[in-house]
Amino acid sequence: MKFNIINFLKIYSEDKLALFFFINLIIILGLVIFGPLITLQNPYDLSQLNILDSLLPPLSQAYENNYFLLGTDDQGRDLLSAIIYGLRISLYVGSLSVIISLIVGIILGVVSAYFGGFVDNFIMRVADMVLAMPSFLIALVLLSILGRGLENVVFALVMSQWATFARVIRSSALSEKEKDYFYSARCLCLPQSRIIFGHLLPNCLPPIIVLSTINLAFAITLEASLSFLGVGLPITEPSIGLIISNGYEYIIVGKYWMSLYPGLFLLITVVSINIFSDRLRILLNPRLNI
Amino acid sequence: MIKNFFKTLIIFASIIFLSKSVLSENLTVATPHDPSVDPHWLYLGPNAAYSRYIFERLIDRDENANIVARLAESWENLDDLTWKFNLRKGVKFHDGSDFTADDVIFSIDRIPNIPNNPASYESNVSMIESVEATDSHTLVVKTKNPYPLLLRRLSGVAIVSKSNVEGSTTEDFASGKVAIGTGPYKFKSYTPGDNYQITVNNNYWGVKPDFNDVTFKIMPDGASRVAALLAGDVDILEGLSPSSVPAVESKDGFKVAKRASARTLWLYVDTQNDNSPFVTDNDGNAMSVNPLKDKRVRKALSLAIDRDAIVSKVMDGLAEEANQVVPKGFFSYSENIPENEFNINKAKELMAEAGYADGFGLTVHAPNDRYVNDDKIAQAIAQMLSKIGLKMQVETMPKAVYFGRLNKQEFSLSMIGWDNAFTGSSLMSLSAAFHTKEEGYGSWNAGGYSNTAFDAEVEKASAAFDMQEYEGHLKRAMEILIAEDQGAIPLHSQFVTVGTTDKVDYTPRADEAFEVMLVKKAN
């Protein structure tokens, strides 16, 4: 059966729950991409904020006919705008770090599977070392050394994630290496690069797609946790984790909205990505044959 | 079966409840600060406060910032330069050894000689020319210049035991090995970042405190401290954020002790460097001139800050606007300095006049774990300054990093909160933070402010034995600094707020230092 997007969507939507979260995911992506066009303010532009608007509950009037739908935070930021911008950063940081770890992982994984021997041993032992440490700890240590900032967060996430990719790609490449088409390709004396990138890699991809989506959700939570602890992004440009952390001390006095809503948005995003990837895992698994 | 289960549950619950309601000899404190057990290491308010339990000074300040005798029983001025102290007899260190004049001399010598100290207590002893012991319990101190504030300075000199501390390092204090003083409490244990425990000194010469064992739980997060108090895990909580005050006050069985403190927050402005480290043009490139050196720009910054909004919105009303670096009505407060004005248009005009109508880039630096809502204030200030066209950034960091960098003059616009209770006047802030850097002065001058007329007034004030003359010079110096030069931007004076259960009473100190000896069992 030739791959066909309509067909794929049809099969995908057989699971109604997965469909629901898929639509959710698309709405979130829409919000994230078109966010700046629809938000009340740019929450990162200090001159648009007013401290006198701080700590307003949801549905407070901002100016004219505009409302702070979800209230404001302790600096007078419109919470909805801050959440949308925060999600932008979270998703941006998450996808960027996954893409970079993917590239690094693919190169290292395929190289070590293809060449084997010392190269394989060396790369995999380094990967083992990384995997042996909790990824949160790696990221935390790196950020404490490097300091805050977007590039640093991405770097820290990549450092804690590349090993997973390298491992998975290596093992699927190893099993592909034993297959007949691979032997044929070698017997034909095709150039190494063509064997690796034209034959080996495409056949390793299905698990990678699933792993990337799972890792995207993981990267987003990791970034949120780091920001919550105050080592992630600068405080004037809060990502979701930092918004939650800012609001957290107000929960005790009943000002719940500053933590609740960003938390919900984060939850929905991560759950949607996870369910999407779970469905992909089922569809892309040849053994589950649907 | 179920009935039995509930019975057991009730019995267990009442046992737990009863054991808690018995008035205990133990006190648990939730605090945001780690102690530097070495009383001569890292001169920050919380460290000086911690050192009061194990160590004592010759003379200390009470909760109202008045001088009280501790290890010195009495003292007299032999002349303008010479002071004689009669030390208390029969005082013993925790290890049983006698307290003598040698320990005092050793402590005064040790302070300037601790290597790599990020914030030294040196300013408290630098005016001392020589210390001599005429006998084991009499000291003669000579100062380099007439120095009427010597007694208050000595309240920042903790006395350690010479026989124990000689040859030891700061680490030996943290491990408890040489944490031996004469104070009302003894060192018990310290786990950095987790808890610090002290236990009562039964041989203390003075008034015994109400609690025998005190555990400080170190909890940097404000919300966790409040939760711990409300859950009954701690008896008293230091550093209650104003926004949590209603949450504690409204609960039965809890209360909040409040008091206006002598600490005033202000912003240092870099008036010295031609290339200020955090001043950029609008595109983020370094500038060849430093706009902050222009008085009009500094005035504009002050005009653009809405202190009323900071007090009402960030501090929840638990602060008071400041128009100079001492609180309103404080000794040496000058009435001639006009009230703060919040006027964006005037600020913009001044910026245009100075040639910066389009603004420039500026970063405000602040600690995020030192003063009440420090990081939020910094953000609010950035917000306000961006309204007059500045491209603002905010960088906050833990106090352990912040003050080291501040003292190396690494910032362009930076926050500090100065406790004026130490001298009971503006003298210490003016002489340490604004006098030109030189021997004995300007050790905290992180803005590089320098004005010879100002320096002259400060020097006259620090040599004046007559109180009226002393206050006059201080007022004049403050007028030069604020009204004429705008060498700093005053913000507000904060309140001390301490949350407790109703089983204890607490009297906050004017200098904000937390003190276990002031915690009393409630009747």
Side-chain angles (χ1 to χ4, degrees), chain B residues 26 37 40 44 54 79 115 141 148 203 207 255 302 307 315 332 349 357 361 413 487:
Chain B
N26 305 337
V37 185
H40 300 152
L44 292 177
I54 298 181
D79 59 55
V141 176
N203 301 320
V207 184
K255 55 190 178 184
S302 182
R307 294 167 180 87
M315 305 298 289
S332 74
E349 274 167 33
L413 186 67

Side-chain angles (χ1 to χ4, degrees), chain A residues 7 13 25 36 64 68 96 99 104 123 125 133 142 166 169 172 174 176 189 191 196 223 225 237 257 281 285:
Chain A
N7 236 334
S13 42
L25 194 59
E64 289 157 19
F68 295 122
L96 194 64
I99 290 170
V104 175
I123 295 176
R125 291 304 75 78
M133 286 183 272
L142 281 174
I169 289 160
S172 56
L174 274 183
E176 294 298 323
C189 285
I196 293 180
E223 185 273 323
S225 322
E237 296 183 7
W257 58 90
R281 180 182 63 81
N285 191 339

Side-chain angles (χ1 to χ4, degrees), chain B residues 346-390:
Chain B
K346 207 166 153 191
K348 279 183 180 160
E349 274 167 33
L350 278 172
M351 289 285 285
E353 217 178 278
Y356 301 101
D358 298 329
F360 53 89
L362 181 60
T363 306
V364 52
H365 284 84
N368 56 19
D369 56 358
R370 180 65 190 92
Y371 311 117
V372 180
N373 288 338
D374 38 17
D375 54 342
K376 289 181 186 157
I377 297 165
Q379 288 179 68
I381 287 168
Q383 207 183 89
M384 290 161 182
L385 295 184
S386 69
K387 303 249 164 41
I388 59 166
L390 294 167

Side-chain angles (χ1 to χ4, degrees), chain A residues 46-47 49-52 54 74-75 77 235-236 248-250 252-253, chain B residues 221 224 226 241 243 247 309 313 376 379-380 382-384 386-387 394:
Chain A
L46 288 170
S47 63
L49 308 182
N50 194 338
I51 190 83
L52 293 173
S54 64
D74 56 355
Q75 290 293 319
R77 273 187 204 96
I235 49 170
T236 46
Y248 151 75
E249 64 177 277
Y250 292 95
I252 211 153
V253 282
Chain B
D221 183 77
S224 319
V226 176
S241 117
S243 64
K313 283 292 184 173
K376 289 181 186 157
Q379 288 179 68
Q383 207 183 89
M384 290 161 182
S386 69
K387 303 249 164 41
V394 184

Side-chain angles (χ1 to χ4, degrees), chain A residues 125-166:
Chain A
R125 291 304 75 78
V126 175
D128 283 345
M129 254 156 57
V130 174
L131 286 173
M133 286 183 272
S135 39
F136 187 70
L137 189 67
I138 300 178
L140 199 62
V141 168
L142 281 174
L143 280 176
S144 327
I145 299 169
L146 299 171
R148 290 178 173 200
L150 199 115
E151 307 79 30
N152 294 346
V153 174
V154 171
F155 177 73
L157 292 181
V158 168
M159 287 309 286
S160 57
Q161 288 193 317
W162 68 268
T164 331
F165 284 99

Side-chain angles (χ1 to χ4, degrees), chain A residues 8-19 279 283:
Chain A
F8 177 79
L9 279 180
K10 247 186 216 159
I11 302 173
Y12 184 93
S13 42
E14 274 165 19
D15 183 341
K16 294 296 171 228
L17 186 74
L19 182 67
R279 185 75 184 139
L283 294 181

